[in-house]
Amino acid sequence: MLNNMKIWGADCPFELIDRWIETVNAEFGLSAKNNECRQFFYSIRSFSYWAFADEGYAVMTEETDMWGNRSLVVKSLYLLPEHRTFENLNDLQHYIEETARQCGVKNIVQGTHLGDRLQTYLKRRGYTTCEMRKEI
C-alpha cells in the first residue's frame, strides 16, 4: 500500500522533484543527466499532475491530439526497488486512472523504456498498443 500519497499541481515543490530525480537516476546510472531531467520536469511543472508517495511517484500531463481528443500522458512513473509489488503498482495505477477521470480525458497513454514487464502488466489492465519506438 502506498503511504502518504499526495497529489500536486503547479505548486509541486522543486525539492520533491529534485529528490526523486536523484533517486531514479542513481538507480539507473544516469546521475550525470540530473540537470537535463530538472530542466524537463521544471518546464512541465506548471501544467502537470504530480502524485508522490513515500514509495514512488507518477508525473502526468494532459495532451490533445489533432482531432481534439484529450489524453492523460504518464511522463514518468517510479517505485523504489524494495516497494515494487503488484499491490503498489496497482495503487499507483489507481491514482493515475482517478486523475484521468477527474480531468475528463478520453485516454491514458503510458509506456516504458525499461523493458516489457510494465507493458505486459498494462495490457492486462486493458491498455492497447498505441506507439512504437526504434532506437537509431
Side-chain angles (χ1 to χ4, degrees), residues 10-80:
D11 59 341
C12 181
F14 289 109
E15 300 80 26
L16 193 53
I17 297 169
D18 289 344
R19 181 175 65 101
W20 282 109
I21 287 170
E22 291 167 11
T23 299
V24 173
N25 285 351
E27 178 181 345
F28 296 105
L30 296 170
S31 294
K33 296 289 188 177
N34 284 356
N35 285 335
E36 288 87 342
C37 290
R38 276 187 192 92
Q39 288 175 344
F40 174 78
F41 285 121
Y42 288 9
S43 74
I44 67 169
R45 178 177 172 261
S46 66
F47 57 89
S48 294
Y49 302 98
W50 307 80
F52 287 112
D54 294 339
E55 301 83 0
Y57 72 86
V59 179
M60 303 152 281
T61 60
E62 287 183 58
E63 295 183 11
T64 304
D65 68 17
M66 62 206 131
W67 300 285
N69 298 311
R70 292 177 34 243
S71 297
L72 186 73
V73 178
V74 180
K75 296 293 191 178
S76 183
L77 131 85
Y78 179 81
L79 286 168
L80 291 166

